[in-house]
Amino acid sequence: MSAIVVVGGQWGDEGKGKITDYLAQRADLIVRYQGGNNAGHTVVVDGAEYKLHLLPSGILHSNKTCIIASGVVIDPFTLAEEIRGLERQGLTTANLVISPLAHLVLPYHLELDSLEESRRGPRALGTTRRGIGPAYQDKTARTGLRVADLFDLDRLAIKLAEAVAEKAAIIRNVYGSDAPEALDIAYLGRRLREIAEVLRPYLADTSAVIDAALREGKRVLFEGAQGTLLDLDFGTYPYVTSSHPTAGGACIGAGVGPTRIDSVLGVVKAYTSRVGDGPFPTELAGKLGQYIRDKGHEYGTTTGRPRRCGWLDLVLVKYAARINGMDYLALTKLDTLAELPEVYLCTGYELDGEEIDDVPLDPADLERCVPRYVKLEGWPALEGVRAYEELPSAARRYIELIEDFVGVEVCMVSVGREREATIIRRELL
Ligand code: GDP
């Protein structure tokens, strides 16, 4: 198989970084197709730690082409910093290709993100305040600036002046605030002209680069950020992200036709977590939730914000399998659930006295769903387990029940943070 999409099967933080890193070893091209620097993971290679937010994880392998496709929104200052950071650590970024069609996240987007979250108060969406939502808003409103605009100085000046005038009116009149630096056209123009020179060497038609690679039989990995239940259409709206972190999003965000995709891998954590507000039927509010949160280190990487934790919700996973057309599942963090006397899998809900086994369309209904559980025996610690047959029988039963219910094969099982702590049942790519 030569083109695979990796997507999150829950609300993000499923461990896609580790799974992508594993698959990237065999890929020739790694493509990011949506989101911005609200995603990100830490990759540890030979003891050195690299923090990646916008750059695809394959960037550490100089023989792999890494693509930031048109569906991504780029904070050019963060990207330049990430590029410089890698170069300071002695790594090349010559293998990076950036789409000129990608939209820019600019300082006033960050201001607007923050102001809007604060205005919402207790109804805040829980965004990372990195300006991603406001940048996608401008894209849809057809007022956004794209990477290509940085290289046409006249066009840049006109678009920037228009955008700043609009944002200044909103920031001052709607929010009663100000943002002198983010609204200073001369300052922004100067910084953007500098940044343009950093980005210039990387620009190319990324859709054409991917197409050429596929025609040559190269292996292409599409790396989704966030998760299916954060999808703008199919997630728990409005507590969602502003893009499509689903398999279909890979086609749109990378400019690749659906017939070119060979398979879809969903990454699913052995339990469920979510950041911020929104429905979460299997949430464990008490001690057990805290235990899973601590054992699984479920705290936001940048904010330190505790993530809500609960049992694995197979109704949601089955829904995610449908929305993405998942061919395979990678199950992560099975080790985190180890050493519990019993574990639970949610296989249905009760909604207003009625039994249902699919996700209700209205998130307000999902909020009222009471989970129906299957209780299973727990399993001992999984240290050193590297083969499926070495897993305790209770852990295998857990995996097999997931496969049966969702109707998708679990081809990888992750039992620890390290690359070696991965059980491969079927090699993809
Ligand atoms: P992403 O947002 O889906 O890319 O999630 P990350 O890649 O950031 O993963 C979340 C965290 O879980 C990271 O700190 C990983 O190192 C860690 N992790 C991934 N898989 C496993 C696993 O199987 N077991 C344990 N204990 N940690 C894992």
Side-chain angles (χ1 to χ4, degrees):
M1 264 172 284
S2 55
I4 183 167
V5 183
V6 177
V7 291
Q10 293 153 308
W11 277 294
D13 306 313
E14 298 94 348
K16 294 178 298 296
K18 179 183 159 172
I19 300 299
T20 309
D21 176 62
Y22 180 86
L23 293 170
Q25 298 176 88
R26 292 164 70 104
D28 301 302
L29 259 80
I30 296 119
V31 183
R32 273 212 54 192
Y33 59 86
Q34 46 75 227
N37 59 327
N38 49 350
H41 30 253
T42 307
V43 183
V44 182
V45 179
D46 298 332
E49 198 174 274
Y50 305 95
K51 290 200 184 301
L52 307 173
H53 294 290
L54 267 163
L55 295 172
S57 42
I59 195 75
L60 303 177
H61 307 267
S62 57
N63 58 341
K64 299 182 192 299
T65 305
C66 289
I67 292 183
I68 299 181
S70 45
V72 176
V73 287
I74 299 177
D75 179 329
F77 305 109
T78 308
L79 179 58
E81 198 37 58
E82 249 177 74
I83 291 172
R84 288 193 200 109
L86 285 189
E87 283 171 351
R88 270 198 301 273
Q89 286 175 284
L91 290 165
T92 173
T93 49
N95 51 335
L96 176 66
V97 189
I98 301 172
S99 170
L101 302 186
H103 277 248
L104 296 172
V105 181
L106 294 170
Y108 47 74
H109 291 129
L110 278 77
E111 288 291 339
L112 286 166
D113 200 350
S114 240
L115 288 167
E116 179 58 14
E117 280 292 271
S118 302
R119 187 192 68 82
R120 291 180 75 99
R123 292 187 311 107
L125 298 177
T127 81
T128 51
R129 302 189 181 215
R130 298 228 169 105
I132 313 291
Y136 275 117
Q137 257 173 282
D138 280 1
K139 174 176 178 169
T140 313
R142 291 157 292 182
T143 55
L145 272 74
R146 308 204 282 189
V147 171
D149 295 326
L150 297 175
F151 303 94
D152 180 331
L153 293 184
D154 292 338
R155 194 165 76 199
L156 177 65
I158 294 168
K159 290 187 80 168
L160 195 59
E162 281 175 2
V164 166
E166 187 210 347
K167 303 311 172 198
I170 298 172
I171 289 173
R172 292 182 186 135
N173 302 330
V174 176
Y175 295 104
S177 186
D178 204 356
E181 213 167 72
L183 297 174
D184 181 336
I185 297 178
Y187 170 74
L188 285 179
R190 199 168 57 246
R191 288 196 65 198
L192 287 174
R193 285 194 296 278
E194 280 164 24
I195 235 61
E197 293 319 307
V198 179
L199 302 186
R200 192 189 290 277
Y202 303 107
L203 301 191
D205 179 343
T206 51
S207 161
V209 172
I210 299 167
D211 185 62
L214 287 171
R215 282 174 195 281
E216 285 168 31
K218 291 200 170 142
R219 288 173 288 206
V220 182
L221 174 66
F222 296 89
E223 177 184 353
Q226 291 98 33
T228 303
L229 292 157
L230 295 171
D231 182 90
L232 186 55
D233 283 317
F234 297 102
T236 44
Y237 193 88
Y239 301 99
V240 292
T241 198
S242 307
S243 62
H244 296 287
T246 39
C251 295
I252 295 169
V256 173
T259 54
R260 298 292 177 270
I261 307 291
D262 294 300
S263 60
V264 177
L265 171 69
V267 182
V268 168
K269 190 152 62 179
Y271 51 93
T272 312
S273 73
R274 95 166 284 176
V275 173
D277 264 336
F280 182 173
T282 61
E283 179 169 18
L284 293 165
K287 269 194 188 151
L288 196 50
Q290 186 62 40
Y291 169 84
I292 296 176
R293 179 156 47 247
D294 288 339
K295 192 160 179 213
H297 306 288
E298 297 293 350
Y299 293 89
T301 25
T302 39
T303 53
R305 198 163 37 156
R307 296 182 186 138
R308 300 156 68 195
C309 292
W311 296 120
L312 180 56
D313 186 336
L314 289 182
V315 182
L316 292 180
V317 175
K318 192 171 181 174
Y319 170 81
R322 162 157 66 86
I323 298 296
N324 292 288
M326 284 178 194
D327 299 294
Y328 305 102
L329 290 175
L331 186 69
T332 62
K333 293 192 139 181
L334 195 63
D335 54 310
T336 304
L337 284 194
E339 298 179 291
L340 286 169
E342 56 204 28
V343 293
Y344 292 79
L345 283 170
C346 168
T347 55
Y349 302 135
E350 194 182 300
L351 174 62
D352 303 333
E354 215 180 294
E355 303 237 314
I356 58 169
D357 53 14
D358 200 359
V359 179
L361 272 183
D362 187 346
D365 289 338
L366 186 62
E367 192 92 60
R368 292 199 314 285
C369 279
V370 180
R372 206 167 63 229
Y373 288 114
V374 175
K375 180 166 110 177
L376 288 102
E377 194 189 319
W379 50 86
L382 301 178
E383 253 120 275
V385 172
R386 297 293 177 265
Y388 192 70
E389 301 69 44
E390 290 168 19
L391 281 170
S393 58
R396 272 183 283 155
R397 165 126 185 74
Y398 190 75
I399 295 168
E400 282 149 25
L401 210 149
I402 294 171
E403 288 185 317
D404 283 350
F405 187 89
V406 182
V408 178
E409 175 188 331
V410 172
C411 72
M412 294 167 87
V413 183
S414 174
V415 293
R417 295 190 67 175
E418 318 74 46
R419 201 187 259 176
E420 316 76 72
T422 316
I423 297 168
I424 306 296
R425 297 175 78 195
R426 179 197 285 271
E427 286 286 5
L428 305 177
L429 269 184

